[in-house]
Amino acid sequence: MVENTEKPLNFIEEIINDHLKSGRFGQRVHTRFPPEPNGYLHIGHAKSIVLNFNLAKKYGGLCNLRFDDTNPSKEEEEYVHSIRDDIHWLGFDWEDREYYASDYFEQLYEWAVKLIKDGHAYVCDLSPEETRAYRGTLSEPGKNSPFRDRSVEENLNLFERMKQGEFPDGSRVLKAKIDMSHPNFNMRDPVMYRILHAHHHRTGTDWCIYPMYDFTHGQSDSIEKITQSICTLEFENHRPLYDWFCEKLDIHHPQQIEFARLNLTYMVMSKRKFLVLVNEGHVSGWDDPRMPTISGLRRRGYTPESIRNFCEYIGVAKNNSVVDVTILENHVREHLNATADRVMAVLNPIKVVIENFPEGKVEDLTAINNPEDESAGTRILPFTREIYIDSNDFMEEPVKKYFRLAPGREVRLRYGYIIKCEDVIKDAQGEVVELRCSYDPDTLGKQPTDRKVKGVIHWVSAQHALGGEVRLYDRLFSVEHPDKVEDGQDFRANLNPDSLEVIEHAKLEPSLEKVSTGDRFQFERVGYFSVDPDSTENKPVFNRIASLRDTWARITRNS
Ligand code: ATP
Ligand code: MG
């Protein structure tokens, strides 16, 4: 039993404690994460992964990975690989317990035969439309199928011939014989097996009948001796059927427990919708950094720690709700604030010539890598007569409370001197193209006593600057609930047209010369960035992971 003094137990831990007390599963805790390999994992799956693996760890138990691969036409090897990679990247390991529902097809078939022999299942020849009509409605009971009372022998014979491939797709199914007037639809003689002459990614053409989810999931749990089978709320209505099969088969009977799915504001959360976004080119792929897939978040620069912390922070509940995406963003900010080295990068460069600084001279200035982590040390920033600053840090006619550079005004260069804007150079169109400044050699590392200089701006030496591409990602959808749409529209109507801005020619400090894919930095005053795999030796590409603060909160407040 786990006594947790820091945090109250969640409702799942309370159920597990009850099981341990009653000894229902001895003292074992054995969970599983059961993805269907029909797409890439998303942050919602991360919630389930963190929950299942953490529970196993907390109780000294085990967690399996099981591919729920009962749908032959949809599954693909590519997804199996990506799912494995994503779970490992999140920091979890299933050791040698990687299972496939398809490995149990033979056992499931034998169990189906047993249910037929015991009078609990029958072959039904109703068409899918007829089956629907026979099921009744919420207010009306269903009707018994005319094939419900077939003899055991006839059922065994037909089921065997279904397996042998004698019948076309959709012509017959195997149904559980339960109760056509049951208040729960799932109990009105649910389909157990359907005929599908299709290729399966693991069993090839061995089978042309495939078990339905409800006759696979609980049985797979049972075979693996799972104790708590944790799933999302939409399966709550399936629990009576889960229990019915285990009871009728008289096999190890895990406890199904349902919790609320994770949904995020400004996001959709379904593989089916992601597939639309990918196939229609709204994003560059499953790992587009705007996607809430694990691979997208990874490419964006999210850390596994921040995702785990987020999942633990939101916890588990019994009611569906939508989590504010800011909470996720704040978790990555928090982690990167503690761990990411600071560097200087100028995204919208404008040249500054410091007229009283000698030509050709390079002065080494010392910069702190991470003020939150002394062990990160310091680095050298070369300072020269020509530098770049961000054009947003200059205003020709400064507004009130503007403390940065303006004609005749002073500002401090981060880790450097105070400079003063002496002159503004414009091109033929009147655009500011260069600033002429002076610097005060007495102001390195100290404040002047005769005046106050409030603003501090970032900069890079023009001579030493590296060129780089910077991809400023924003939310993929521009409204909080993208699924809320007018009639005739869908979530695509809410795509944010400005979710990506590409800056081709940013100026980066020279320490960024040797970066590798996945390295993360704080660009001082700008945000957190990571190195994208599109980087080449001559041109690094950086993805914005998050701005320093929640800029959307400000936008909404002002509008
Ligand atoms: P989607 O609706 O996105 O296609 P799914 O539920 O079909 O997802 P599965 O591969 O069947 O995806 O899910 C694997 C496991 O992850 C299941 O236990 C499922 O309940 C859980 N899961 C899926 N989506 C979420 C979510 N948004 N929040 C929490 N758990 C989830
Ligand atoms: Mg599914």
Side-chain angles (χ1 to χ4, degrees):
M1 204 139 324
V2 171
E3 302 291 344
N4 193 332
T5 46
E6 289 162 28
K7 240 178 155 185
L9 296 182
N10 65 45
F11 76 96
I12 299 179
E13 291 165 337
E14 276 171 8
I15 295 173
I16 295 178
N17 276 358
D18 285 346
H19 289 156
L20 294 174
K21 242 183 258 164
S22 71
R24 173 165 167 189
F25 305 109
Q27 294 303 299
R28 288 191 314 117
V29 171
H30 200 151
T31 57
R32 83 288 171 268
F33 173 66
E36 183 180 353
N38 63 346
Y40 283 63
L41 297 182
H42 52 62
I43 181 88
H45 295 111
K47 175 176 174 178
S48 176
I49 292 167
V50 169
L51 177 64
N52 279 293
F53 279 93
N54 275 357
L55 281 172
K57 189 167 162 211
K58 185 168 177 177
Y59 287 91
L62 298 169
C63 180
N64 295 355
L65 169 61
R66 182 194 322 136
F67 289 101
D68 193 348
D69 57 350
T70 42
N71 282 329
S73 36
K74 284 203 236 145
E75 281 101 15
E76 285 179 37
E77 270 309 294
E78 178 196 347
Y79 297 136
V80 169
H81 289 290
S82 77
I83 289 169
R84 282 195 201 119
D85 290 349
D86 287 350
I87 302 173
H88 276 147
W89 179 77
L90 280 172
F92 298 103
D93 188 28
W94 54 95
E95 299 171 313
D96 58 352
R97 295 178 313 283
E98 176 173 316
Y99 301 118
Y100 292 80
S102 56
D103 289 347
Y104 307 140
F105 281 169
E106 195 62 52
Q107 173 70 77
L108 293 171
Y109 179 79
E110 283 170 26
W111 277 338
V113 168
K114 174 178 159 53
L115 288 180
I116 294 173
K117 286 182 177 163
D118 293 347
H120 296 309
Y122 63 96
V123 173
C124 181
D125 305 355
L126 291 180
S127 69
E129 297 74 39
E130 288 166 326
T131 290
R132 226 167 289 136
Y134 271 72
R135 271 183 102 192
T137 63
L138 280 176
S139 49
E140 273 171 65
K143 272 193 308 184
N144 282 352
S145 158
F147 306 99
R148 202 172 195 259
D149 295 317
R150 277 178 162 151
S151 69
V152 168
E153 290 65 38
E154 191 183 2
N155 280 320
L156 285 175
N157 172 274
L158 285 172
F159 189 48
E160 169 69 21
R161 286 163 61 198
M162 278 168 66
K163 182 185 180 225
Q164 296 307 330
E166 253 186 63
F167 311 120
D169 290 2
S171 58
R172 288 191 160 88
V173 292
L174 184 73
K175 286 181 180 171
K177 194 173 183 175
I178 308 181
D179 179 359
M180 287 309 288
S181 53
H182 200 285
N184 182 338
F185 261 47
N186 294 307
M187 300 296 274
R188 294 185 187 175
D189 291 11
V191 174
M192 293 169 57
Y193 268 90
R194 65 219 198 277
I195 302 173
L196 258 182
H197 292 267
H199 185 271
H200 186 278
H201 76 127
R202 281 171 71 87
T203 56
T205 50
D206 290 355
W207 295 87
C208 59
I209 53 170
Y210 288 93
M212 302 298 286
Y213 172 88
D214 283 319
F215 190 64
T216 309
H217 200 80
Q219 286 51 53
S220 304
D221 285 342
S222 182
I223 291 168
E224 293 173 21
K225 297 283 184 283
I226 299 302
T227 54
Q228 288 80 20
S229 173
I230 301 167
C231 61
T232 39
L233 276 184
E234 67 270 26
F235 293 103
E236 196 166 15
N237 285 335
H238 295 241
R239 186 169 6 113
L241 184 54
Y242 186 107
D243 293 339
W244 190 89
F245 281 130
C246 285
E247 278 160 24
K248 292 293 178 261
L249 290 169
D250 194 20
I251 54 178
H252 169 76
H253 188 161
Q255 175 67 53
Q256 177 179 305
I257 305 170
E258 310 87 15
F259 72 101
R261 303 172 76 83
L262 169 65
N263 290 300
L264 288 175
T265 56
Y266 295 97
M267 204 25 93
V268 294
M269 196 71 73
S270 126
K271 283 181 274 193
R272 190 180 51 77
K273 289 173 189 166
F274 297 149
L275 202 58
V276 171
L277 293 173
V278 171
N279 288 345
E280 293 183 356
H282 301 293
V283 293
S284 63
W286 283 97
D287 70 343
D288 185 295
R290 290 164 293 187
M291 293 275 270
T293 49
I294 307 297
S295 49
L297 291 165
R298 174 167 62 230
R299 183 162 178 183
R300 177 82 168 250
Y302 269 74
T303 59
E305 291 88 337
S306 63
I307 296 175
R308 291 200 304 264
N309 291 343
F310 165 75
C311 292
E312 287 166 17
Y313 174 84
I314 58 171
V316 288
K318 263 286 188 192
N319 320 347
N320 277 318
S321 67
V322 184
V323 173
D324 189 337
V325 70
T326 316
I327 298 176
L328 174 63
E329 294 164 351
N330 282 341
H331 273 89
V332 78
R333 284 192 186 103
E334 192 182 326
H335 188 225
L336 293 179
N337 181 46
T339 56
D341 280 354
R342 276 58 169 167
V343 292
M344 297 216 266
V346 176
L347 302 198
N348 310 292
I350 179 170
K351 190 174 266 185
V352 170
V353 179
I354 298 160
E355 292 177 311
N356 59 339
F357 194 87
E359 251 173 271
K361 178 176 170 181
V362 180
E363 184 174 343
D364 286 346
L365 301 179
T366 303
I368 293 168
N369 287 335
N370 186 349
E372 304 286 322
D373 175 11
E374 216 178 309
S375 73
T378 59
R379 69 189 185 286
I380 296 298
L381 293 174
F383 179 63
T384 51
R385 179 180 159 91
E386 296 193 356
I387 61 172
Y388 291 108
I389 66 166
D390 199 288
S391 54
N392 293 324
D393 286 332
F394 171 79
M395 261 189 131
E396 202 174 4
E397 287 163 35
V399 292
K400 248 190 177 171
K401 293 205 172 163
Y402 188 82
F403 298 119
R404 290 167 275 164
L405 208 55
R409 293 234 195 140
E410 288 185 306
V411 78
R412 177 177 293 281
L413 298 175
R414 181 80 160 139
Y415 297 118
Y417 298 96
I418 288 174
I419 59 169
K420 181 177 182 181
C421 180
E422 307 285 356
D423 206 358
V424 179
I425 312 238
K426 298 181 183 179
D427 62 13
Q429 284 78 44
E431 289 283 321
V432 177
V433 288
E434 191 180 296
L435 303 174
R436 294 266 155 176
C437 292
S438 61
Y439 86 113
D440 180 345
D442 283 334
T443 53
L444 186 62
K446 59 179 183 217
Q447 287 294 348
T449 47
D450 55 342
R451 61 201 197 275
K452 221 177 171 134
V453 179
K454 273 196 180 168
V456 181
I457 63 172
H458 61 286
W459 56 277
V460 295
S461 158
Q463 181 193 331
H464 299 86
L466 301 171
E469 181 177 320
V470 176
R471 299 175 181 172
L472 298 176
Y473 289 105
D474 205 339
R475 293 178 185 165
L476 188 53
F477 294 94
S478 47
V479 298
E480 238 178 283
H481 303 290
D483 281 316
K484 273 194 196 151
V485 287
E486 310 270 306
D487 278 353
Q489 294 188 328
D490 65 19
F491 63 98
R492 289 172 294 186
N494 289 319
L495 281 162
N496 176 6
D498 302 317
S499 61
L500 171 59
E501 181 191 345
V502 179
I503 293 189
E504 300 264 8
H505 303 289
K507 299 290 184 185
L508 314 170
E509 69 164 67
S511 76
L512 290 171
E513 196 183 344
K514 287 188 183 64
V515 290
S516 322
T517 297
D519 288 354
R520 304 175 183 93
F521 300 93
Q522 185 195 99
F523 289 0
E524 292 219 28
R525 301 181 59 230
V526 182
Y528 294 102
F529 290 80
S530 77
V531 180
D532 190 84
D534 283 349
S535 300
T536 59
E537 202 170 326
N538 302 321
K539 192 172 185 186
V541 175
F542 285 90
N543 298 323
R544 179 166 67 194
I545 308 167
S547 52
L548 287 184
R549 260 159 256 102
D550 177 15
T551 48
W552 280 68
R554 216 165 46 223
I555 293 168
T556 352
R557 228 175 287 133
N558 291 351
S559 60

